[in-house]
Amino acid sequence: MSSLAALSFCLDKAKPLDSAWAQDRFFSGLSPSDRAFAQLIAKTTLRRLGQIDALLAGFLDRPLGDRTSKVMHILRMGVTQLIWLETPPHAAVHATVEMTKQVRMEKYSGLVNAILKRIAKEGISIIAAQDAEKLNTPAWLWDNWCKAYGEKTTRAIAATHLKEPPLDITVKSDPAYWAGELNGTLLPMGSVRLRDARNLTQLPGFSEGKWWVQDLAATIPAKLLGDVRHQRVIDLCAAPGGKTAQLANAGAKVSAVDVSKERIAMLKTNVHRLQLQAEYITTDASKWIPAFAPDAILLDAPCSATGTLRRHPDVAWLRKPQDVERLIATQTRLLRHAADTLKPGGKLVYSVCSLQAEEGEHQISALLAERSDMRLEPVDASVVGGIAECITPRGEVRTLPCHLPELGGMDGFFAAVLIKNA
């Protein structure tokens, strides 16, 4: 039932999947294995939503209405279990039919039973003939990525989104040791990729604050600031704190700024566990004027998060083009204010976990066209572990989910280094 509640919360109320788990009072009472299975069903359903709906459309005489959205979600979950989770057909069909009774939709139990039995027989062959990459990517995203990266790369991105992602951690020191201790893989930029991401809080080093969860690509922006020892560095829009931790661990005097009290509280908790130090400021980063001239600023701006779809498949169905337009306006304000705040000779890194060029490359082009006091500093491939395909022609960083395929890919990120003329 938690999977159904999560899908309803996400698709009917347009709320993030992570929030669904947090607000479901039954979910926290499940055993760890049941919680993991509920999350697997919901995430797999969202990853394959386009294929599932195309499949179901061929078995429904007419679309189910808004009042029966729960029945549609139940059918979707049944398809997920039959096709991708390989649940025995009798078990998947029985459990799904019983769910219609639990939500008082008994009159649809016969329909659900008949459709899923047919899908158990015919579904795999139909799914095999589908264009999985395109069906599971909203059309506006597909068109945008084809324009920015070409169809071949767009297909590679979309294919990566269909796979369960690995989990990376950043360690405070000696990544080779922790790769061995945690049975992980040492990645080119010093992160450790875990083979078993279950029961994270019980793994060696967690309670001692030796490492934190952070995707490989997300570590890049802080690294672009270079040697920050003893520097005054501002981390704008800092929560949940991975980049703040990187900077503090590297010896910077960090001021972590975020507009949300709740997110600042979460950031404090995370940094405290790591036994690191930072200054915490709750304010609007687009208006805040520090009492000191910062040596460097890291602006990881609010964005559409389309670079994280493999980890957050709900984002694909929650985001709309108008959301990107709104976020671009916010990013522009933050970037301009950060440039004003930076001291002459200082360094500004702008980053977003978005695949939309409008939120990345275009923002930098617009800033440079407006301001003669700012210049782009090209990034050398050595900073990103020698992965040259992550460097754009003019020297920005653009990671794609399909990069490092032999190791399981990475999140999509954009980052650029800007220097303010002295």
Side-chain angles (χ1 to χ4, degrees):
M1 289 297 291
S2 285
S3 299
L4 175 59
L7 287 176
S8 297
F9 190 80
C10 178
L11 296 176
D12 298 336
K13 298 182 180 180
K15 300 293 185 181
L17 191 60
D18 286 347
S19 298
W21 307 123
Q23 296 190 28
D24 184 352
R25 57 193 178 93
F26 297 107
F27 179 73
S28 60
L30 296 175
S31 68
S33 61
D34 285 344
R35 286 200 301 271
F37 188 61
Q39 290 177 317
L40 179 62
I41 291 176
K43 284 193 171 185
T44 305
T45 300
L46 289 167
R47 280 197 185 95
R48 300 284 181 168
L49 189 62
Q51 283 181 278
I52 292 170
D53 284 359
L55 175 66
L56 287 171
F59 290 91
L60 288 166
D61 293 333
R62 59 181 181 275
L64 294 174
D66 292 341
R67 292 186 178 181
T68 54
S69 64
K70 285 187 178 180
V71 177
M72 189 64 181
H73 298 328
I74 288 170
L75 279 169
R76 287 164 170 161
M77 291 164 55
V79 173
T80 294
Q81 293 178 74
L82 285 170
I83 304 295
W84 288 285
L85 302 187
E86 299 180 348
T87 304
H90 67 279
V93 173
H94 175 75
T96 307
V97 169
E98 286 300 306
M99 198 173 293
T100 63
K101 301 174 184 178
Q102 294 173 26
V103 298
R104 299 180 180 178
M105 290 285 184
E106 298 95 334
K107 67 179 181 178
Y108 293 96
S109 61
L111 174 69
V112 169
N113 182 68
I115 289 177
L116 291 183
K117 283 185 174 179
R118 286 185 63 191
I119 288 175
K121 295 178 180 178
E122 307 169 36
I124 291 178
S125 60
I126 297 173
I127 288 289
Q130 291 178 330
D131 186 342
E133 292 83 10
K134 196 166 186 178
L135 278 174
N136 293 309
T137 306
W140 72 274
L141 285 176
W142 182 271
D143 293 342
N144 182 285
W145 298 344
C146 283
K147 182 179 178 181
Y149 310 114
E151 184 172 348
K152 181 179 179 181
T153 299
T154 296
R155 283 195 174 277
I157 291 169
T160 305
H161 289 161
L162 299 180
K163 302 172 184 175
E164 186 74 19
L167 187 137
D168 302 339
I169 62 170
T170 300
V171 301
K172 291 171 72 174
S173 62
D174 202 351
Y177 166 78
W178 285 106
E181 179 71 10
L182 299 173
N183 191 30
T185 300
L186 183 60
L187 297 177
M189 286 172 262
S191 295
V192 174
R193 180 155 290 177
L194 301 183
R195 295 184 177 91
D196 185 355
R198 293 172 297 179
N199 302 318
L200 284 176
T201 59
Q202 305 303 314
L203 293 179
F206 179 86
S207 60
E208 297 86 357
K210 300 297 185 181
W211 51 265
W212 61 96
V213 174
Q214 188 178 31
D215 187 78
L216 170 66
T219 68
I220 295 174
K223 292 176 181 177
L224 296 181
L225 288 175
D227 186 357
V228 292
R229 285 176 294 179
H230 312 302
Q231 289 190 5
R232 295 298 302 267
V233 181
I234 296 175
D235 183 6
L236 297 177
C237 310
K243 298 174 184 65
T244 296
Q246 279 183 271
L247 295 168
N249 191 52
K253 300 176 181 178
V254 190
S255 297
V257 182
D258 202 280
V259 71
S260 166
K261 291 182 180 179
E262 292 76 14
R263 286 171 62 82
I264 280 287
M266 175 175 57
L267 190 156
K268 283 183 179 179
T269 299
N270 292 339
V271 174
H272 178 74
R273 179 182 68 80
L274 298 170
Q275 302 174 39
L276 297 170
Q277 299 295 320
E279 177 186 24
Y280 308 100
I281 300 166
T282 306
T283 189
D284 183 346
S286 68
K287 299 177 181 178
W288 176 64
I289 300 176
F292 58 92
D295 299 299
I297 296 176
L298 172 57
L299 169 56
D300 187 32
C303 70
S304 61
T306 54
T308 68
L309 295 192
R310 64 190 192 129
R311 206 172 299 287
H312 302 288
D314 52 313
V315 169
W317 310 106
L318 295 178
R319 289 297 189 202
K320 307 299 178 188
Q322 55 267 34
D323 295 325
V324 176
E325 294 174 8
R326 175 180 53 80
L327 287 161
I328 287 171
T330 299
Q331 293 156 6
T332 299
R333 289 196 306 273
L334 286 163
L335 184 54
R336 283 6 176 222
H337 186 66
D340 289 338
T341 303
L342 188 66
K343 77 174 187 180
K347 183 179 290 188
L348 166 62
V349 169
Y350 171 82
S351 67
V352 285
C353 58
S354 168
L355 293 174
Q356 315 311 111
E358 300 92 324
E359 299 181 78
E361 292 89 340
H362 295 186
Q363 286 285 17
I364 299 303
S365 294
L367 181 73
L368 294 174
E370 292 175 9
R371 301 187 64 133
S372 59
D373 62 335
M374 302 293 294
R375 60 182 174 85
L376 182 69
E377 181 176 81
V379 177
D380 188 87
S382 62
V383 181
V384 294
I387 310 172
E389 63 181 343
C390 294
I391 305 298
T392 71
R394 67 178 183 182
E396 299 144 317
V397 175
R398 166 58 77 185
T399 66
L400 301 176
C402 55
H403 287 159
L404 285 187
E406 69 281 1
L407 293 174
M410 65 174 84
D411 284 352
F413 252 87
F414 171 85
V417 181
L418 297 160
I419 304 297
K420 192 169 187 177
N421 298 334

